[in-house]
Amino acid sequence: MKDVVKVAAVGDTHCKKTTQGELRNVFAEINQSADILVLCGDLTDYGLPEEAQIFVKELAPVKIPIVGVLGNHDFESGKEQEVTQILTDAGVTILDGEATEILGIGFAGTKGFCGGFGRGALGPWGEPAIKSFVNEAVHEALKLESALARLRTNERIAILHYAPIKDTVDGEPIEIYPYLGTSRLEEPLLRYPVDVVFHGHAHSGSLEGITSSGTPVYNVAMPLLRKRLPDKPPFHIFEIKLTKEESVAAPSSVAAPS
């Protein structure tokens, strides 16, 4: 029985039509290193079904459970439903305001949105276009809150694409901070505490930070991991210690499509 579950997290793989073979070794190493794989969006580059098909082939070495969210790039071509179906058919659980439980750990996820942080967060005032923009961020925050509220496990993980705090976008040009996330996504995390938050999107941000309540937040964008940790594999491992009653047996291997 396992009392510690290793969760590997990575995002922003930006799989293209020319990516074949480039990610397979990374995923093979994840399969050997972790019990669960978390994907933090921008799995494809232009949100094309053809890219998603290549991505799931790259995932073939992974026999552990996989859960994740989409990113803004996965929406680029307006075919996000097809992309989601391809991923789901390959055994990936894609969360869009939903919650799920894997190996005794609860996962809540949604893509998130932008809008800025703290006093710099855009408010819903003025033109209809501004109100619509802000309402999208509010809607994503409400989706995250709804998912978190449904979790019944002691150990919980939140999955996002956009950043919920400013700490993990530090390092990016300050002019684009408002487009990298919003503190509106932090609000549900304060009401429904989790053990850890994973996100991507900010390729030149910072690797980690904390919410105002002390929850660790990790930016696991693959380009950032490659840049900041060039001597390490481009994914982050976080260990979750389960309470005694939640200790689980190691999952049996399930073959992924090749």
Side-chain angles (χ1 to χ4, degrees):
M1 300 293 286
K2 281 183 171 288
D3 56 5
V4 174
V5 175
K6 294 181 178 181
V7 180
V10 66
D12 299 81
T13 51
H14 291 277
C15 189
K16 306 176 179 67
K17 295 178 182 179
T18 58
T19 300
Q20 295 185 50
E22 296 180 9
L23 298 171
R24 186 173 286 248
N25 288 343
V26 173
F27 287 130
E29 188 164 357
I30 287 173
N31 189 66
Q32 295 299 316
S33 304
D35 302 299
I36 301 170
L37 170 58
V38 168
L39 300 171
C40 292
D42 280 3
L43 310 178
T44 63
D45 202 37
Y46 283 90
L48 296 170
E50 298 91 333
E51 294 174 337
Q53 293 284 7
I54 293 169
F55 181 76
V56 298
K57 289 180 180 178
E58 296 296 289
L59 273 178
V62 180
K63 313 304 180 185
I64 58 177
I66 309 172
V67 60
V69 298
L70 298 185
N72 57 306
H73 276 249
D74 301 314
F75 280 74
E76 169 60 21
S77 297
K79 297 183 177 181
E80 62 277 3
Q81 291 184 352
E82 292 179 56
V83 169
T84 297
Q85 190 61 57
I86 290 166
L87 293 166
T88 300
D89 290 345
V92 181
T93 299
I94 294 295
L95 302 177
D96 182 25
E98 295 93 20
T100 191
E101 181 180 336
I102 304 172
L103 302 183
I105 300 170
F107 292 85
T110 193
K111 173 177 59 66
F113 198 60
C114 41
F117 303 93
R119 294 180 62 186
L122 186 64
W125 194 91
E127 300 95 322
I130 294 293
K131 293 175 182 176
S132 177
F133 185 92
V134 174
N135 284 340
E136 180 66 18
V138 171
H139 178 62
E140 286 292 313
L142 289 172
K143 284 163 63 175
L144 177 61
E145 181 165 347
S146 176
L148 290 168
R150 290 197 291 272
L151 293 178
R152 295 294 179 264
T153 55
N154 290 328
E155 285 71 42
R156 305 173 178 187
I157 292 176
I159 311 172
L160 294 162
H161 179 62
Y162 288 87
I165 60 171
K166 174 180 168 291
D167 289 2
T168 48
V169 306
D170 283 342
E172 294 277 5
I174 193 168
E175 294 85 357
I176 69 170
Y177 277 24
Y179 311 116
L180 298 174
T182 174
S183 52
R184 294 183 189 278
L185 294 168
E186 182 186 21
E187 296 167 8
L189 299 169
L190 303 180
R191 288 190 283 273
Y192 295 94
V194 297
D195 293 86
V196 63
V197 183
F198 297 120
H199 75 86
H201 193 47
H203 293 193
S204 297
S206 297
L207 294 170
E208 59 185 287
I210 57 172
T211 67
S212 56
S213 61
T215 299
V217 179
Y218 292 96
N219 179 352
V220 295
M222 183 176 280
L224 176 66
L225 293 169
R226 290 191 189 279
K227 184 186 307 181
R228 299 296 175 85
L229 302 171
D231 298 327
K232 295 185 177 181
F235 55 88
H236 182 79
I237 294 281
F238 188 87
E239 294 187 355
I240 295 281
K241 185 174 178 59
L242 300 179
T243 54
K244 186 175 180 180
E245 62 271 18
E246 290 177 326
S247 295
V248 295
S252 58
S253 294
V254 178
S258 59

